[in-house]
Amino acid sequence: MTRPTRTHALRLLIAWAVLSVIGVLIGLQLQLPPGNQSQQAVDESWLLQLMTIISTPVFVGVVLFILYSAFAFRQRRGALEDGPPSYGNFRVQVAWVAITSVIVFIMAGIGISELASTANGTNFTSSSQPALATSGSVGTTEADALQVQVIAQQWYFTYRYAGYGGVESLHLVLPVDSNVVIHITSTDVLHSFWAYQLGVKADANPGVDNVAYLTTLRTGLFTVRCAELCGIWHGNMSDTDGSVVSQADFATWINNLQQSESDVTLPPYAPYYFPSPRVKGS
Ligand SMILES: [Cu+2]
């Protein structure tokens, strides 16, 4: 018994529509990483969700067609025969090209508008920024944002706060509702600074000041990891004690740090560093 092509097409269309709607509804409920601790993380989660929702009907269509064909058009028992030859289908070809073009143009439009919105040199998106009580006030431009230097080294990260005399910390602590410019560098080999929940990941190279922008939105802990194989203890280069704290807590914390390091002589603050030359026998 062979069914007309129309019946197969109609069945596939109905099943595809129903499953796609279910898939998109599930996609809308997803909480995708990296989360909502910073504006950048929110943007990344939103983009991931959008991509998931756009690709769900495509995924459902392809898998459904394969499964349906394997069942409905399978070789029955008996003599092995070739299927009927196919000569292309004009309507399917036009629809195929048109639909994929529309999807690609929508993606390109989103990409161009995102690029245009960050073309002013920073990608700070929040409009109003309360200023910090102490030095290094936080504003809406790169110049008055909090400057933090991430120094990668085998096998941990340290953080220096340029606006606070270049004090150095073992954990990254940031004030909430603030624009932060992160300067990432290394003193030895290639590392990669990855503050997972903040949605920031950038290479840490010696002799390079690699800049990333961040707008903190919510207090809480975050994880920092090295994301570039950098030597035998690379796997240990992880810190779960990064934190976004209230502006008052940040002021207290940085004050205490300044006090505790008042009698410590740190190397001079520089935009970036080079590995010290390795002397024979050292
Ligand atoms: Cu590393």
Side-chain angles (χ1 to χ4, degrees), residues 106-260:
I106 289 173
M107 304 276 213
I110 293 167
I112 290 166
S113 74
E114 285 288 309
L115 204 60
S117 71
T118 59
N120 59 358
T122 72
N123 63 354
F124 293 144
T125 42
S126 307
S127 49
S128 66
Q129 296 300 324
L132 279 177
T134 51
S135 62
S137 68
V138 171
T140 51
T141 64
E142 178 166 354
D144 55 6
L146 173 67
Q147 311 281 325
V148 182
Q149 183 177 54
V150 175
I151 306 170
Q153 54 222 279
Q154 286 170 322
W155 282 276
Y156 52 91
F157 293 99
T158 56
Y159 308 91
R160 295 188 75 171
Y161 293 78
Y164 297 87
V167 285
E168 189 161 14
S169 162
L170 272 173
H171 306 287
L172 180 55
V173 177
L174 298 170
V176 75
D177 290 327
S178 302
N179 287 326
V180 185
V181 180
I182 303 187
H183 300 269
I184 301 139
T185 187
S186 165
T187 58
D188 41 46
V189 300
L190 304 187
H191 301 266
S192 176
F193 169 74
W194 182 24
Y196 174 79
Q197 289 87 345
L198 300 181
V200 172
K201 192 183 199 183
D203 286 350
N205 303 342
V208 175
D209 175 19
N210 206 3
V211 180
Y213 300 95
L214 189 63
T215 305
T216 53
L217 295 181
R218 278 174 184 78
T219 56
L221 293 173
F222 58 84
T223 304
V224 172
R225 283 200 190 104
C226 181
E228 179 89 50
L229 183 60
C230 59
I232 193 162
W233 288 108
H234 161 73
N236 199 42
M237 214 167 148
S238 161
D239 177 26
T240 52
D241 283 332
S243 57
V244 176
V245 297
S246 71
Q247 305 223 354
D249 285 354
F250 179 78
T252 312
W253 176 81
I254 198 94
N255 245 321
N256 290 342
L257 189 66
Q258 283 175 313
Q259 306 268 301
S260 67

